[in-house]
Amino acid sequence: MGSSMTRGDIENLATDFYGLLESFKHAPLYHISFEIFLVLAVIWLVVFRKPRPIEKKLTEKEKQDLIDEWQPEPLVPSVDPNHPALNVRVLDGIVGKTVEIDGKKSLNFATFNFLNFVGNQRIADKAIQAVQKYGVGSCGPRGFYGTIDIHLELEERLARFFQCEEGIIYSYGFSTIASIIPAYSKRNDILFVDEGVHYAIQKGVEASRSHVKWFRHNDINDLERLLAEQEVLDKKIPKKARSIRRFLIIEGLYVNYGDICPLPRMVELKYKYKYRIFMDESVSFGTIGQAGRGVTEYYGIDRQKIDLISSTLEYAAGSIGGFAVGSSFVVDHQRLSAQGYCFSASLPPLLAAAAIEALNIMEEDNTLLFETIMEKSKRLHKKLLSIKGYIISGDEISPLKHIRLTHAFNTIGRLEEIVQFAQTRDITITVARYLNDEHLLPEPSIRLILNVEMTDEELEFLCAVLQEALVKVTT
Amino acid sequence: MKKEHKDLCRRQSNDDFEETPTWAAVITVLGYALLSVLGWLRDFLRNIGIEKKMTAQDPNPKDFVPLYQSYECFYTRNLYTRIRDVFNQPIASVAGATVQVMERLSEDFNWTFKFSGKKLPSINLGSYNYLGFAENSGPCSEQAIKSLEKYGITTSSTRHELGIQQYMNDLESLMAEYLNVEDCIAFGMGFATNALNIPTLARKGDLILSDKLNHTSLILGARLSGAVTRTFNHNDAKDLEIQLRKAIIHGQPRTCRPWKKILIIVEGVYSMEGSFCNLREIIELKKKYKAYLYVDEAHSIGAIGSHGRGVVDYWNVNPKDIDIHMGTFTKSFGSAGGYIAGKKSLIDHIRIYTHSGCYSTSMSAPIVYQIISALNIIMGRDGTNDGQKRIQQLACNVRYFRRQLVDMGFIVYGNDDSPVVPVMIYMPAKIAAVNREMLKRGCAVVTVGFPATLLTESRVRFCISAGHTKEMLDNALRAMDEVGHLVSLRYSKRNPSRRWHELKRADYDKEYF
């Protein structure tokens, strides 16, 4: 039996218990409430909380069996050795107005050489001088001694050309817009994007993880509908709506369609629905507008109203790389947040020198070069329209046009035949190539690109060949 | 000398990272806290109008949603701007072993800069020029100039459309031979090589196991691929094994379906730590668990190994054990661009599905010819042993520089043979102090802090080049010694703090040939 309790013990116990109750009376209220809360929490944990499901415990042997049985797929699926990408043409020389393929010279309507700067002697000389001064590579990202004075000069010249506050250059055309969009637009923001934008923009939009609202290509009414719907949603959650940024992502002149965006109306809507405009002018830089400043100049819109204009140096400027211009408020942010800028080596100086010389030529010629290319585009457009059997896609002043056959006939196979036939007649054209995971895969087409140095006779010849090819393919 | 060099390469070099002294970590955090408090005070003063707002203002009307949240730019406004002069420093010459840094002056505490016109000749310890090919004269630049005259600058067309120039085929087959693999494909930008090609290799239903300290381009590529990405502790083969086992046993989250394939992504040399990946252990794991291995040798190709073939060469593993070799031409070849190499079936697949096949202009001729001539020199095809000399000179420079830094009492991270030499400085104010003081003493160095590194692990990162002479290294060490004394950088507990003149010169000179 346990030790017997004496009367004294019981008395002590009672006194202690009484003392405890007394102390409760004197304890402050917060102390008591906290104690009560703790007791209730313990009761809840013990009685009410659902027990966690017992995890299936596998034996070591079962685990080893799972590991042994697991078979991965092959790293890459088997490929078709006849895929056109594995059998591309191999060139060996300057790809300018003419290109040499298999020893024969042909007129080049396939490359984005709008102003014929490829092979330009002045540009080549300046690039050679840059190699003799700076070597070839820049050996570092912009933050770590990769910023060379020639980069700063190019940025300043681009900003001056576009009459904007600041410019920023990238070392790769694709990465330019693909890095810019995620730098500004984050998870909770909304992007209104034209369905027909090119792949790099689609990648940028994907990388940003924002909500994307696609509107039908160049359909301003569809855009207004989406904006109005969003406004209705905003009214329901006004506080949250004040922290959601909105952006409109468009191209000046669409690479996949050749048509110009309805910019004036979009700028009007900007002030009504309060979004920012990021416009990609890869094709329209150097080809549209009296001085080659793009779609804003063509429409006569104040460039300050567009928040950011991005473009590439790989088309009209005949170099490599990309750039963006806009107000300092917008552009400066990219210097710390755009991944393709901060984490990549800077543009090799010789390419920057080539771009600066290209800008020099564009500014010297001022309006003549651009008037000529717009004029020739119009003439080419008229000539192409006169060929029955082709559907021509693109604005008349666009130097980039898409040609398709009438609906039932329009297959990649037939277009390839046309291309091959044209090659036998010394005209080089190409079928526009896309990857299958485009957001909206364009219809197969031949992308025709006008070089400003093409003469009228050469354009006539092109149309004659296209006519012949059509006959050959449709019979 | 050759045998010693061979032994050096085969030895199991351990990457040791000396632990951060606790008091240094505490003071660093206090330092950032103080800066943040001051920042809030300054922001408050700017908001009430006592202090002028120096940042650019939004040209749009006030009722637009602000483009940047205030806290996003807090760091830029209040911490970064204080020391902005040590980043993005422009240069006015070739980024070779020495460089001309353009002097910038600011009268408003780094909000705006003006060039004084003066050029500061400095020893270049910041650029990635491991084999010293960043030269504006010599066989490589001559080849580049000749190619400009023959090919112009660009084709203005993509690979899939008009096609490629012959020089691309030449470059790719030469690179494949150099790496001892079946085939290779080259791209115009190193960052884009990762970001645009990992999505062709991994898709939804795959698992990517990526080292915690992988480069942003690898993380972006993994994210864009749609696969599930999990990280494992830096260079920790045990953690990688645990992750592999867990993945295969439990399958995909929620559905528990087995993974379609598992891709392990590591780097050869990590650019902020200077550590080498444990390639042998990782290859063993990959074989045991049937995973695929992607090694990004951006910093290691050309710079590591007895023939400059990267970590594959250094650890002497079979190149066929690595499924995807990736690297860049920016660092050791003095050019620009990236490559992926491996089996022919892999490269064919990438040729068809790469994003840059349809949408990016092909590489520029002078860029490609610079790489081809650098490769010919490295492989000894030009008839000289210049390539081998450069590789050995680099290895020698690295050992000489690292040993003395460690013996002086600095905490140096990374493998003993790594040309990337990070020295820890920890405190935020010292980031600026070290950079400015080293520049005064004629050394252009790179100092990095948060967010490129962890909050308490700011460092100064030296990049050694084969173009550095012994004299340049001595000057750099002397400068680092003085600056280390001035700013108190000798944190190491393993090695006693010593001044440069206290080191026994004979020991080091003996090793340096």
Side-chain angles (χ1 to χ4, degrees), chain B residues 114-160:
Chain B
K114 277 202 195 53
F115 290 109
S116 70
K118 211 164 121 198
K119 300 201 177 35
L120 310 166
S122 323
I123 303 173
N124 188 356
L125 293 160
S127 294
Y128 305 134
N129 179 23
Y130 301 127
L131 290 179
F133 280 113
E135 295 162 332
N136 56 6
S137 58
C140 297
S141 40
E142 276 165 34
Q143 282 279 312
I145 291 175
K146 264 198 230 142
S147 75
L148 263 171
E149 282 153 9
K150 182 169 183 204
Y151 294 103
I153 296 200
T154 174
T155 59
S156 281
S157 181
T158 64
R159 219 180 242 269
H160 288 193

Side-chain angles (χ1 to χ4, degrees), chain A residues 68 70 73 91-93 112 137 139 143 145 147 149 245 270 274 276 307 314 329 344 435 438 447, chain B residues 58 60 63 65 67-68 88 91 128 151 156 161 164-166 189 259-260 290 292 334 359 361 445:
Chain A
D68 291 336
W70 182 67
E73 277 181 5
L91 317 166
D92 199 22
F112 292 91
C139 296
Y145 303 103
T147 304
D149 50 2
R245 290 169 282 223
K270 167 184 170 173
K274 318 248 175 285
R276 292 166 204 270
D307 295 88
E314 294 173 2
F329 175 74
S344 169
L435 284 179
E438 285 247 6
R447 191 195 298 125
Chain B
D58 190 348
N60 285 317
D63 51 358
V65 175
L67 187 55
Y68 315 118
N88 296 303
I91 61 176
Y128 305 134
Y151 294 103
S156 281
E161 288 175 2
I164 51 174
Q165 299 269 21
Q166 181 56 39
M189 184 196 193
W259 295 103
K260 292 203 189 122
K290 295 173 259 181
Y292 299 107
Y359 303 107
T361 323
V445 300

Side-chain angles (χ1 to χ4, degrees), chain A residues 128-153:
Chain A
I128 291 175
Q129 280 175 24
V131 173
Q132 288 164 340
K133 182 171 180 197
Y134 299 108
V136 174
S138 59
C139 296
R142 290 292 292 257
F144 305 151
Y145 303 103
T147 304
I148 306 182
D149 50 2
I150 206 166
H151 294 142
L152 301 175
E153 194 188 331

